[in-house]
Amino acid sequence: MHLVNDENGNAVSHHGHSHEHSHEHSHEHSHSHECGQACDSCSGHNHKQETMALLTYMLSHNEQHTKELDQMASNLEKLDMAAAAKQIKDSVADFQKGNMRLSLALTLVKEELKGE
């Protein structure tokens, strides 16, 4: 039996042989305005820094998924599943474009925060 953990750490069985794979991060993200007011009126809470940290994390998270998908495509090629591998490689290219845009957004946020 092939065991793969889903994004919540739950074991998901797969075919044939024994093997475990764990995914080392959580997909839970939250942001709340505990003070009940707009971001610019909260005292003692830096929403801009929090947003930059979250964007940094999300970019890194996406880059990791891109690497994992690229590896999956390579594995599918080895299994003579070229059509599926091509679809994943095409999606990896799309992920990379999105990651470039996120990276640019992060750079802009950092530049904006430098000016404060």
Side-chain angles (χ1 to χ4, degrees):
M1 174 184 288
H2 182 100
L3 295 177
V4 177
N5 293 339
D6 67 11
E7 64 191 35
N8 298 314
N10 301 315
V12 177
S13 65
H14 200 47
H15 58 82
H17 58 279
S18 289
H19 170 102
E20 284 202 32
H21 168 79
S22 64
H23 206 64
E24 295 296 327
H25 58 268
S26 168
H27 288 269
E28 294 181 29
H29 309 288
S30 65
H31 176 88
S32 66
H33 294 278
E34 292 179 18
C35 61
Q37 300 181 25
C39 286
D40 58 354
S41 65
C42 287
S43 61
H45 193 84
N46 191 331
H47 291 285
K48 290 181 181 180
Q49 288 293 330
E50 180 180 296
T51 299
M52 185 180 73
L54 182 58
L55 184 55
T56 300
Y57 165 79
M58 293 176 84
L59 175 59
S60 174
H61 181 92
N62 282 359
E63 288 171 340
Q64 183 61 39
H65 280 299
T66 302
K67 290 176 189 175
E68 292 168 346
L69 286 166
D70 193 47
Q71 181 61 51
M72 184 180 293
S74 295
N75 291 345
L76 287 171
E77 285 176 338
K78 292 173 188 173
L79 296 170
D80 295 322
M81 297 182 181
K86 181 185 181 324
Q87 290 302 310
I88 292 174
K89 285 186 181 253
D90 289 348
S91 74
V92 166
D94 292 339
F95 268 79
Q96 289 170 332
K97 288 177 192 172
N99 289 343
M100 285 176 41
R101 290 176 192 249
L102 287 174
S103 181
L104 176 58
L106 179 59
T107 299
L108 293 170
V109 167
K110 287 179 178 178
E111 289 299 315
E112 181 73 26
L113 291 177
K114 270 188 198 176
E116 290 186 356

